[in-house]
Amino acid sequence: MQIEPAIPADAAAIAAIYAHHVLHGTASYEIEPPGTDEMAQRMDKVLGSGWPWLVTRSAGGELLGYAYASQFRDRPAYRYVCENSIYIRHDRRGQGIGKALLAALLDVCAAQGFRQMIAVIGGAEPASVALHTAAGFTHAGTMRAIGRKQGRWLDTVYMQRALGEGCGTPPPVEPD
């Protein structure tokens, strides 16, 4: 398994991984999965902003999962806070892929100067909560019954982890 930056040619495989989660899971509150073109636009927005989008591949080059981070909110005061997203191919979950991707994403985001990472876990997915807990995230709040999917109300869990120096020192540049 190798982890590397995503490239535009990965959009179709990324869209396929995400589509399964949209159609069969509750981690995403989307109802209709985006196609390859929409996913390519989403990737371009993240990568074009200088934020990381990582993929992991099997030894044979098959895309197994992806993770990316973007600024948590668009206001300047949030400049040093990112939000992560991680999706693993449904038939490869439970093999340490998410753990490896999240560890790599944490390192890249810290190196880029982010000071906090937020996980917004739709459906309060137990596997995602466990993954983030194992990576040092702590519970930051639960929004009860804010999503409706698959005939039920869903909670969203927020988790948070400091990166680099966290809030221990001021950032190199104050937000404008």
Side-chain angles (χ1 to χ4, degrees):
M1 175 172 51
Q2 63 187 44
I3 297 173
E4 60 193 25
I7 58 173
D10 294 326
I14 288 171
I17 289 170
Y18 185 60
H20 180 84
H21 290 278
V22 169
L23 295 172
H24 302 286
T26 58
S28 169
Y29 288 174
E30 288 195 70
I31 304 298
E32 295 295 326
T36 299
D37 290 342
E38 171 64 22
M39 190 58 72
Q41 289 175 9
R42 293 179 188 189
M43 291 173 65
D44 187 54
K45 181 178 179 184
V46 169
L47 295 170
S49 296
W51 301 318
W53 192 308
L54 304 175
V55 296
T56 186
R57 301 179 196 285
S58 68
E62 185 177 31
L63 203 133
L64 304 175
Y66 67 92
Y68 66 91
S70 57
Q71 188 173 332
F72 177 63
R73 297 285 184 262
D74 63 357
R75 291 186 172 85
Y78 292 112
R79 176 178 178 175
Y80 297 102
V81 182
C82 62
E83 176 181 341
N84 75 49
S85 292
I86 300 174
Y87 288 93
I88 308 303
R89 210 173 78 184
H90 73 281
D91 60 342
R92 298 301 294 266
R93 292 179 6 196
Q95 299 176 10
I97 296 167
K99 181 179 180 179
L101 272 170
L102 182 54
L105 189 65
L106 288 165
D107 289 345
V108 171
C109 289
Q112 287 187 340
F114 286 109
R115 296 291 188 95
Q116 301 286 328
M117 183 179 282
I118 307 295
V120 181
I121 303 171
E125 290 283 339
S128 188
V129 170
L131 170 68
H132 286 86
T133 299
F137 285 73
T138 58
H139 185 264
T142 300
M143 299 176 77
R144 305 253 179 241
I146 65 165
R148 179 94 181 150
K149 189 172 177 184
Q150 298 177 350
R152 58 190 171 124
W153 291 106
L154 300 169
D155 296 344
T156 296
V157 170
Y158 282 75
M159 297 185 79
Q160 181 175 349
R161 180 177 184 234
L163 301 175
E165 296 178 34
C167 62
T169 62
V173 177
E174 287 296 332
D176 296 337

